[in-house]
Amino acid sequence: MPTSWADSVAAAENTAAGSYGSSNSLAPNRPTYVPPHLRNRPSSSEAAAAPAPAPVAANTGVPAVSGGNRWAAPRNDFRSGGYGGGGGGGGRGGGGWNNRSGGWDRGRDREVNPFGNDDGAEQQFVDQENSGINFDAYEDIPVETSGDNVPPPVNTFAEIDLGEALNLNIRRCKYVKPTPVQRHAIPISLGGRDLMACAQTGSGKTAAFCFPIISGIMRGQFGQRAQRMPRTACPLALILSPTRELSCQIHEEARKFAYQTGVKVVVAYGGAPINQQLRELERGVDILVATPGRLVDLLERARVSLQSIQYLALDEADRMLDMGFEPQIRKIVQQMDMPPPGVRQTMLFSATFPKEIQRLASDFLANYIFLAVGRVGSSTDLIVQRVEYVQESDKRSHLMDLLHAQRANGAHGKQALTLVFVETKKGADSLEYWLCMNGFPATTIHGDRSQQEREQALRSFKSGNTPILVATDVAARGLDIPHVAHVVNFDLPNDIDDYVHRIGRTGRAGKSGLATAFFNDNNTSMARPLSELMQESNQEVPAWLARYAARVSYGGGKNRRGGGGGGRFGGRDFRRDNNFNRGGGDYYGGGNTNNAYGGAPGGGYGGGYGASGGYGPGVASAWD
DNA sequence: GTGGGGG
């Protein structure tokens, strides 16, 4: 029995003919190419069969978009004082909960219900696809931790004293028990420790860093908040992500977790009017979710100060620290008024963590714990990966073959959602146009579109109204789009980690998915890493791809993951790798892969302001 | 070189 649309799609594609020839000796032989106009068929009816948009209205009857003065009651929790000593990190079960009485709480009953119609209305028979996370898919996955005194994992949310309000929201979210990354990461964070966490796409990372932040703020263990400048917001926690849509998504999720806790979450990102964001900030903010550019803007306008930050979380942390983002992140984290490592608590999350990036990241961390959950930084075996040899000139018609096969097998009378990744913004527009001209309802998301267009495209895709989304890498990371049955790498990325994130848009929350990549001689550098990744995730590697991979010159370079270590799960702590540890830095206090737990992480932070001793200035950044 | 991220 198929458990998802992807299954039926996969079944269909087993019989779908590929039809492409190639002159390359390594490339597979295929039957004759049939031009699209001979295979195309009219299809105006399919779009009408698409599912209706999901209901958005909250059962409170309050409009979902906050626009009025609902939050107008001023907060009076802008307290004075410094970092509050940062103590008590390990104290669980102690001290009472801060009920955060104040202006915010007075308006609590008017807080927009972020759960919409779901709240309280337990459906008796929920569609399998909507019943939450498939936890069976997460049994027995490998876990590796390293660092000093790693707190032991928990098996249930009940074991953790997150507080009643948060527990209620966890139930509202229908989370029954923690996912593996949550089981390990939450105790580490609650223990006050810095964390670098590497976990599969779609395995619940957002909650893993949100729960401890919300819980910690509710406990109010941070003393008083500085507030001298009346129009400057001083959040207690900062969550950064690389794209606007991902920040929005994190904000929406965090609002659910923080519902009726008195913890206020605000989002700030570019491309949207800044005035509304400024108003939200003025009404008070505990957790600020932001993209780097807009945050820098707000900091320079002195509308936000980071002096009260106690928690810093970087989602997609390896992306945030790569060449493009690193200068902005350094500015935010190191050159503004943010408390240093060891004073604030820092959490880095991603499905991938190249060793070079780990080394950069250690500048932002103090005595941190490295956590790796699951195999090869990604792609559970739940994602069926296929690679097909397709010449550039044949890509469009080959894509159409795949789409036709899906359309014919669309379960539930709807076409499965297909996410198509391309390399460039122009390429995205042009492919979208071509698909539409050929009767396939498609839209596109990329950085040349206005923010309104981007959000509209995402909505239209999610609702099934436009079941094909052509995207650049803006959509590669983090976005949680239910029912994406198929990810097509129309253009393969140049980096295997990007591939991992892209295909991770399907097969989420324990559900299965399909990923198809078009490979040709422009992608030879990906042959070996791709082949290795597929092997590690128990995928069938086509013989022709294995032949490419076997060529010494193909993909043996920097693209290889794990420093050539291959076969190990999850990525490894670079501190344990001699090749990366010869600079003399004493990063690594001791390995405890066996989770040897020596008791509470005794009061606090590991001295020093980060493990900055080890590497010379040469490794800092090409942009410095 | 592409992509993302502030006007």
Side-chain angles (χ1 to χ4, degrees):
Chain A
M1 177 181 79
T3 56
S4 79
W5 294 344
D7 293 358
S8 46
V9 171
E13 291 191 353
N14 284 326
T15 59
S19 48
Y20 307 92
S22 165
S23 57
N24 185 293
S25 60
L26 286 173
N29 283 324
R30 299 269 186 144
T32 320
Y33 167 62
V34 182
H37 65 278
L38 296 180
R39 294 176 286 153
N40 187 23
R41 65 176 202 197
S43 65
S44 50
S45 58
E46 267 77 3
V56 254
N59 61 7
T60 57
V62 179
V65 178
S66 81
N69 290 325
R70 287 193 300 284
W71 306 119
R75 281 186 66 158
N76 54 9
D77 61 348
F78 284 117
R79 297 151 296 199
S80 59
Y83 302 135
R92 251 180 254 168
W97 295 90
N98 184 345
N99 70 5
R100 300 179 66 71
S101 59
W104 169 253
D105 278 359
R106 284 202 301 276
R108 183 185 285 181
D109 57 335
R110 302 169 69 184
E111 182 178 0
V112 176
N113 182 347
F115 293 96
N117 291 330
D118 287 347
D119 189 25
E122 291 296 329
Q123 287 171 268
Q124 203 63 24
F125 299 102
V126 188
D127 184 345
Q128 168 73 16
E129 298 208 33
N130 294 323
S131 63
I133 296 174
N134 171 13
F135 286 93
D136 292 341
Y138 292 115
E139 295 299 322
D140 297 326
I141 67 174
V143 175
E144 182 170 316
T145 61
S146 53
D148 292 331
N149 294 324
V150 181
V154 293
N155 290 308
T156 64
F157 287 122
E159 291 174 52
I160 327 167
D161 188 18
L162 290 170
E164 258 324 294
L166 188 46
N167 280 333
L168 182 56
N169 291 331
I170 290 172
R171 285 198 291 278
R172 285 173 173 137
C173 289
K174 301 185 171 62
Y175 293 173
V176 180
K177 62 180 185 179
T179 66
V181 65
Q182 292 163 2
R183 292 180 53 226
H184 288 81
I186 292 174
I188 291 170
S189 302
L190 288 176
R193 299 293 298 279
D194 279 6
L195 174 65
M196 180 185 293
C198 192
Q200 292 156 319
T201 53
S203 61
K205 290 189 284 289
T206 308
F209 60 74
C210 282
F211 289 177
I213 291 174
I214 294 167
S215 170
I217 291 175
M218 288 175 69
R219 284 173 180 270
Q221 63 191 13
F222 301 114
Q224 308 302 303
R225 196 190 317 216
Q227 173 61 8
R228 293 180 209 90
M229 304 145 290
R231 306 235 299 172
T232 305
C234 297
L236 298 171
L238 176 63
I239 300 172
L240 291 173
S241 95
T243 66
R244 299 162 179 175
E245 288 76 15
L246 184 51
S247 280
C248 285
Q249 177 183 302
I250 294 167
H251 174 242
E252 284 166 20
E253 216 166 335
R255 270 181 56 227
K256 292 180 186 173
F257 303 149
Y259 181 53
Q260 291 185 337
T261 62
V263 175
K264 180 146 188 223
V265 191
V266 172
V267 67
Y269 56 91
I274 200 169
N275 283 334
Q276 190 176 336
Q277 292 172 9
L278 287 172
R279 280 198 300 275
E280 289 292 321
L281 289 167
E282 278 185 27
R283 291 173 189 143
V285 51
D286 297 301
I287 302 175
L288 177 59
V289 184
T291 48
R294 177 57 62 92
L295 178 59
V296 167
D297 191 358
L298 293 166
L299 290 168
E300 286 172 347
R301 298 180 188 215
R303 300 302 296 265
V304 168
S305 161
L306 302 177
Q307 63 186 337
S308 301
I309 291 294
Q310 295 298 334
Y311 298 97
L312 169 65
L314 301 192
D315 200 9
E316 310 298 340
D318 57 332
R319 168 66 90 216
M320 303 299 280
L321 296 172
D322 79 5
M323 207 174 55
F325 274 118
E326 197 220 7
Q328 278 176 298
I329 300 303
R330 261 187 210 284
K331 175 167 189 170
I332 292 166
V333 177
Q334 294 181 321
Q335 293 160 24
M336 305 303 291
D337 53 352
M338 173 136 25
V343 175
R344 65 165 196 261
Q345 191 179 338
T346 307
M347 295 172 273
L348 310 184
F349 281 76
S350 183
T352 52
F353 257 115
K355 295 227 190 305
E356 319 80 68
I357 304 288
Q358 288 191 38
R359 192 175 53 222
L360 277 179
S362 57
D363 286 355
F364 302 98
L365 296 162
N367 186 30
Y368 66 96
I369 290 168
F370 177 89
L371 167 68
V373 182
R375 63 172 65 239
V376 259
S378 93
S379 58
T380 58
D381 309 356
L382 297 166
I383 304 171
V384 173
Q385 298 175 59
R386 292 204 184 133
V387 185
E388 301 178 357
Y389 193 94
V390 185
Q391 301 282 18
E392 290 294 332
S393 54
D394 295 339
K395 280 182 172 179
R396 287 182 172 185
S397 51
H398 194 79
L399 176 63
M400 186 171 284
D401 284 346
L402 298 181
L403 295 174
H404 270 304
Q406 274 179 224
R407 174 182 282 177
N409 284 272
H412 320 310
K414 352 172 186 176
Q415 182 165 356
L417 300 190
T418 300
L419 181 51
V420 183
F421 281 105
V422 297
E423 192 61 22
T424 66
K425 294 175 282 197
K426 288 177 77 172
D429 279 336
S430 135
L431 182 58
E432 178 218 15
Y433 179 78
W434 185 86
L435 285 167
C436 290
M437 291 301 287
N438 283 277
F440 284 92
T443 184
T444 184
I445 183 168
H446 60 69
D448 275 354
R449 303 200 81 191
S450 73
Q451 191 55 26
Q452 271 196 335
E453 291 171 325
R454 286 164 58 156
E455 288 171 16
Q456 167 62 27
L458 206 50
R459 272 196 304 272
S460 176
F461 180 58
K462 283 182 172 178
S463 72
N465 202 33
T466 315
I468 301 164
L469 179 64
V470 184
T472 60
D473 270 333
V474 70
R477 285 172 173 258
L479 294 188
D480 194 37
I481 309 170
H483 308 308
V484 173
H486 196 174
V487 169
V488 178
N489 275 291
F490 189 88
D491 301 320
L492 269 169
N494 294 317
D495 188 319
I496 189 65
D497 287 340
D498 292 333
Y499 173 86
V500 164
H501 286 274
R502 285 179 176 188
I503 68 172
R505 294 321 96 209
T506 186
R508 298 182 71 78
K511 300 186 182 83
S512 61
L514 174 67
T516 304
F518 295 172
F519 181 102
N520 61 38
D521 282 8
N522 295 328
N523 311 116
T524 54
S525 72
M526 286 288 287
R528 186 170 305 180
L530 187 55
S531 166
E532 287 173 353
L533 177 77
M534 290 176 72
Q535 283 178 319
E536 288 162 8
S537 38
N538 298 324
Q539 301 294 307
E540 199 174 318
V541 179
W544 60 266
L545 181 61
R547 287 196 294 274
Y548 270 101
R551 284 196 177 181
V552 275
S553 54
Y554 285 174
K558 74 174 181 74
N559 248 333
R560 289 192 71 183
R561 57 170 51 245
R568 290 196 60 94
F569 63 84
R572 271 175 73 88
D573 187 350
F574 89 105
R575 295 175 297 185
R576 307 181 72 166
D577 187 334
N578 286 334
N579 289 334
F580 282 87
N581 203 15
R582 66 172 101 84
D586 189 18
Y587 289 105
Y588 181 49
N592 46 339
T593 317
N594 299 327
N595 279 343
Y597 180 49
Y605 304 97
Y609 283 11
S612 55
Y615 297 105
V619 291
S621 162
W623 298 77
D624 286 341

